[in-house]
Amino acid sequence: MLKETLKWRAEYKPEEIRWEEVAHEAETGKIYRSNYIDKHGRTVLVMRPSCQNTKSTKGQIRYLVYCMENAILNLPPDKEQMVWLIDFNGYNLSHTSVKVTRETANILQDHYPERLGMAILYNPPKFFEPFWKVVKPFLEPKTQNKVKFVYSDDPNSKKIMEELFDMEKLESAFGGNDDSGFNISKYAERMREDDKRMPAFWTRGNPQSAEPHVDLNSLDLNSDSDASDNGKVDSSPSHVSDSETLSPSESVIVTKGSDNGSTEVH
């Protein structure tokens, strides 16, 4: 998984995606980072499937990746996971593609393992249940258990929201008291400011080091000659236990074949 993610990041370059490239995907507020966090200090991504405004799978996935990278950028140093708030108001099955959902699941599980702390499905309609049954097999059991169905007319559901969020800051669409709503102009300003911080984020902890910057493209990521690869290992993500998954926020030490030591890749 680590090798595949290093290759994916070298080719896809998620940290280089900028707001201007994906702004058209964000116009309706279908995905955005909220201006509040949960009570555990975790970043919150709001998603509204009914606000889907494009048909390009490539564009939708690229915007999702941008949002994931931005959410990680804004996590406190001691946090590694985020919360998803998915609002099903106005949703119908035409708003969701099984293809996009499958690719989304693959991206998240293969390249952002253990980044999801909880996903709250808020007021999903009854006809969503058959779709959930189709999607569920794409998710690992541990991920499935992080998905919570919450209904505004259910007192127990309200308790979940109150335990997780400051209701004064939570949007009214999720039962909170904040009526400000999504404003694309203000959001664009926030994202442009965050874009300026991204390069420094990827060199954090070693800003003035004399060690050379590692170009992932130059690494031989296809090599299977490592001692750890001598045995037969099933590399399918579904066969990798959570205890064996390296958190993406941890540093990876790639030892180069020289006497210069190792170079740190974040």
Side-chain angles (χ1 to χ4, degrees):
M1 286 182 71
L2 180 56
K3 283 186 176 181
E4 289 302 312
T5 292
L6 287 172
K7 285 198 293 185
W8 176 76
R9 294 195 73 93
E11 296 166 1
Y12 200 82
K13 303 184 187 306
E15 74 281 1
E16 294 183 9
I17 304 173
R18 294 295 179 263
W19 170 253
E20 302 305 332
E21 178 186 341
V22 296
H24 64 285
E25 291 280 352
E27 289 175 353
T28 58
K30 63 184 178 185
I31 308 178
Y32 60 91
R33 179 175 60 80
S34 69
N35 56 7
Y36 53 88
I37 55 178
D38 77 344
K39 288 183 177 180
H40 299 287
R42 297 176 294 190
T43 305
V44 177
L45 282 184
V46 175
M47 303 182 177
R48 292 195 163 92
S50 64
C51 294
Q52 183 56 261
N53 61 330
T54 64
K55 297 185 180 298
S56 168
T57 299
K58 181 180 178 180
Q60 291 173 24
I61 294 298
R62 197 150 179 85
Y63 180 53
L64 172 68
V65 169
Y66 174 81
C67 291
M68 289 295 295
E69 294 287 316
N70 181 268
I72 293 168
L73 173 71
N74 285 280
L75 281 170
D78 62 336
K79 300 296 178 183
E80 296 186 343
Q81 297 183 323
M82 65 190 73
V83 175
W84 287 7
L85 270 178
I86 307 175
D87 181 8
F88 281 87
N89 181 48
Y91 171 85
N92 62 60
L93 287 177
S94 68
H95 293 130
T96 305
S97 161
V98 172
K99 179 182 178 182
V100 172
T101 303
R102 182 171 61 243
E103 191 164 341
T104 297
N106 290 338
I107 289 286
L108 296 177
Q109 292 182 155
D110 293 355
H111 307 308
Y112 296 97
E114 284 304 290
R115 281 300 191 184
L116 180 64
M118 183 180 296
I120 295 177
L121 279 57
Y122 197 80
N123 284 336
K126 287 292 182 182
F127 60 79
F128 177 78
E129 293 178 10
F131 178 77
W132 172 244
K133 290 180 180 178
V134 172
V135 171
K136 207 172 180 181
F138 300 137
L139 307 176
E140 294 178 0
K142 191 169 183 177
T143 303
Q144 294 177 19
N145 293 333
K146 293 177 181 178
V147 177
K148 307 295 182 185
F149 285 73
V150 174
Y151 299 91
S152 56
D153 58 356
D154 181 354
N156 291 326
S157 293
K158 187 176 181 181
K159 190 177 298 183
I160 292 175
M161 300 301 281
E162 290 175 345
E163 290 175 352
L164 199 57
F165 298 102
D166 179 342
M167 301 305 285
E168 289 301 316
K169 297 179 180 178
L170 183 66
E171 296 169 59
S172 56
F174 298 106
N177 299 323
D178 184 355
D179 295 320
S180 58
F182 176 74
N183 182 301
I184 184 61
S185 298
K186 292 181 179 179
Y187 190 68
E189 290 177 11
R190 288 171 58 199
M191 293 303 100
R192 291 189 184 103
E193 288 302 311
D194 282 352
D195 283 355
K196 295 176 184 177
R197 295 165 48 211
M198 187 63 78
F201 178 78
W202 282 96
T203 56
R204 72 195 190 286
N206 199 22
Q208 299 178 5
S209 171
E211 291 183 322
H213 174 71
V214 174
D215 180 0
L216 293 180
N217 288 304
S218 68
L219 296 178
D220 183 8
L221 301 175
N222 293 314
S223 173
D224 291 320
S225 60
D226 294 346
S228 60
D229 291 340
N230 288 339
K232 291 184 178 179
V233 179
D234 186 344
S235 62
S236 170
S238 62
H239 294 283
V240 178
S241 70
D242 289 292
S243 62
E244 297 171 325
T245 302
L246 178 68
S247 169
S249 66
E250 296 184 58
S251 295
V252 180
I253 304 300
V254 180
T255 303
K256 309 189 80 170
S258 69
D259 296 329
N260 293 330
S262 60
T263 304
E264 185 174 320
V265 181
H266 293 281

